[in-house]
Amino acid sequence: MSARRPRIAVIMGGDSSERPVSLKSGGAVAQALDPGKYHVVTYDPPSDLLRLVDDADSLDAALIMLHGRGGEDGCMQGLLDLLGVPYQCAGVLGCALAMNKVMAKERFRQFGLPVADDFVFEAGQPGVVEEALLRLGLPLVIKPACEGSSFGVTICQRPEQVGPAIVEASAKDSLILAEKCIIGREITCGVIGEPDPKPLPLVEISPGPGHAFFDYQAKYTPGASREVCPAPLDAALTARIQELGVLAHQALGLRRYSRADFILGPDGPVLLEVNTIPGMTETSLLPQAAAAAGMDYAALVEALLQLALQSGGKLARKER
């Protein structure tokens, strides 16, 4: 009699702004899992949430491939904790902290990590345009506090751009972040492992013409950006950014894996944010970094699943 195949949930889609790429990530992950080894079941929360709850007792682990709200903010992690289903990413607290750029930056500052100067305000607060310009000057970046894939982000080069940028950001969140714009090279650092997280090779991202930064279109339009891995940096700078990537992972109390994004400015690397569920299409940044480390896509998916399975436990599992 053959042994029972572990039942693995791949949770993807959702109803955030990042639904299309989440479906691509989840589809690629589900396809990469060996059907002779695992019984894979897919769930899309808007239509399948009750089915996920009903099936929980039969699930051995989940791979959460939800990007943005409802997936990277700790909501799905909390549900799976209550259901006793282990998963591959950080838990409720880590995901919630990473998703909230304001709270994340406070943690980064506490750990001595380099971040850009900023000014935080509520949508509709009077005098914010003048205050942002006074504190930060130009160029500056306006972004919603809790959003992914650069939705609602604007780089303002002129004073008259700031007001409309705030309106755009406030459509995504009531809490807005204005940041000093650091001009430089965009570098990302993946981290994987538990309990001793290790950095992956760095990736340098060069958005193509027509993209002021690595925005949603630059991220997901084929050929819109050039990505080089390993990033062409000297050994000392590579090691420094990798060290910062691990420290950022630890500062937020993350587990298992993450991807930290940096701008390499005139004064060195500046940490932008940390992604707790990075994109997982076969050409996404984290799989590229893993490939440069000798881990092909299927091996990366297997490694993430093993991190979930090894986490064990039910509700007693807590953030470290």
Side-chain angles (χ1 to χ4, degrees):
M1 188 174 181
S2 60
R4 172 186 172 276
R5 290 176 297 161
R7 288 177 62 88
I8 308 302
V10 177
I11 306 173
M12 59 184 183
D15 55 8
S16 79
S17 302
E18 299 178 72
R19 176 178 173 81
V21 70
S22 173
L23 289 169
K24 290 180 180 178
S25 288
V29 165
Q31 189 171 9
L33 290 167
D34 182 354
K37 189 174 179 182
Y38 303 109
H39 181 89
V40 179
V41 188
T42 60
Y43 300 87
D44 185 352
S47 57
D48 299 331
L49 202 56
L50 289 178
R51 182 166 64 89
L52 173 62
V53 172
D54 289 341
D55 293 350
D57 287 345
S58 69
L59 297 173
D60 294 284
L63 292 172
I64 307 174
M65 289 296 128
L66 296 168
H67 305 312
R69 294 176 185 270
E72 280 184 281
D73 56 6
C75 291
M76 181 55 66
Q77 292 78 4
L79 175 62
L80 293 179
D81 282 345
L82 289 170
L83 296 174
V85 179
Y87 45 86
Q88 93 288 358
C89 57
V92 175
L93 178 58
C95 285
L97 277 173
M99 188 71 180
N100 187 308
K101 296 175 179 63
V102 174
M103 299 302 295
K105 288 187 74 173
E106 287 302 311
R107 291 290 293 173
F108 297 152
R109 289 188 176 101
Q110 289 172 14
F111 276 69
L113 295 165
V115 295
D117 292 341
D118 61 47
F119 166 50
V120 180
F121 55 92
E122 292 284 344
Q125 184 177 324
V128 293
V129 172
E130 295 78 8
E131 186 73 14
L133 290 169
L134 179 65
R135 292 193 187 196
L136 304 171
L138 289 170
L140 61 82
V141 182
I142 301 293
K143 60 179 70 171
C146 297
E147 191 55 80
S149 284
S150 301
F151 282 108
V153 176
T154 303
I155 295 180
C156 301
Q157 303 285 355
R158 303 186 304 276
E160 64 268 23
Q161 294 175 313
V162 179
I166 291 171
V167 172
E168 182 177 348
S170 65
K172 298 294 184 181
D173 199 332
S174 62
L175 189 64
I176 311 298
L177 185 65
E179 281 185 331
K180 184 177 180 60
C181 183
I182 309 298
I183 306 299
R185 299 161 68 182
E186 298 191 46
I187 309 291
T188 190
C189 176
V191 170
I192 188 168
E194 175 108 343
D196 185 21
K198 301 292 185 185
L200 293 169
L202 304 179
V203 183
E204 180 172 5
I205 306 151
S206 300
H211 299 281
F213 64 102
F214 198 44
D215 60 13
Y216 184 84
Q217 296 302 323
K219 285 178 171 73
Y220 302 120
T221 302
S225 297
R226 179 171 176 263
E227 296 152 3
V228 180
C229 184
L233 304 171
D234 64 50
L237 186 53
T238 294
R240 175 57 177 159
I241 295 175
Q242 289 177 320
E243 177 188 29
L244 292 173
V246 172
L247 287 172
H249 180 89
Q250 294 170 331
L252 298 179
L254 302 185
R255 303 186 64 184
R256 305 172 194 129
Y257 78 131
S258 67
R259 197 197 76 222
D261 297 335
F262 297 86
I263 289 290
L264 181 54
D267 299 321
V270 176
L271 176 59
L272 297 178
E273 63 180 13
V274 176
N275 302 272
T276 56
I277 305 179
M280 277 292 291
T281 68
E282 294 200 32
T283 57
S284 293
L285 297 170
L286 185 76
Q288 288 187 52
M295 186 185 305
D296 67 18
Y297 186 82
L300 173 61
V301 173
E302 177 69 22
L304 295 179
L305 177 57
Q306 290 304 316
L307 287 170
L309 290 167
Q310 290 163 16
S311 67
K314 291 197 178 237
L315 188 57
R317 294 193 325 278
K318 298 184 184 295
E319 292 281 359
R320 294 183 176 179

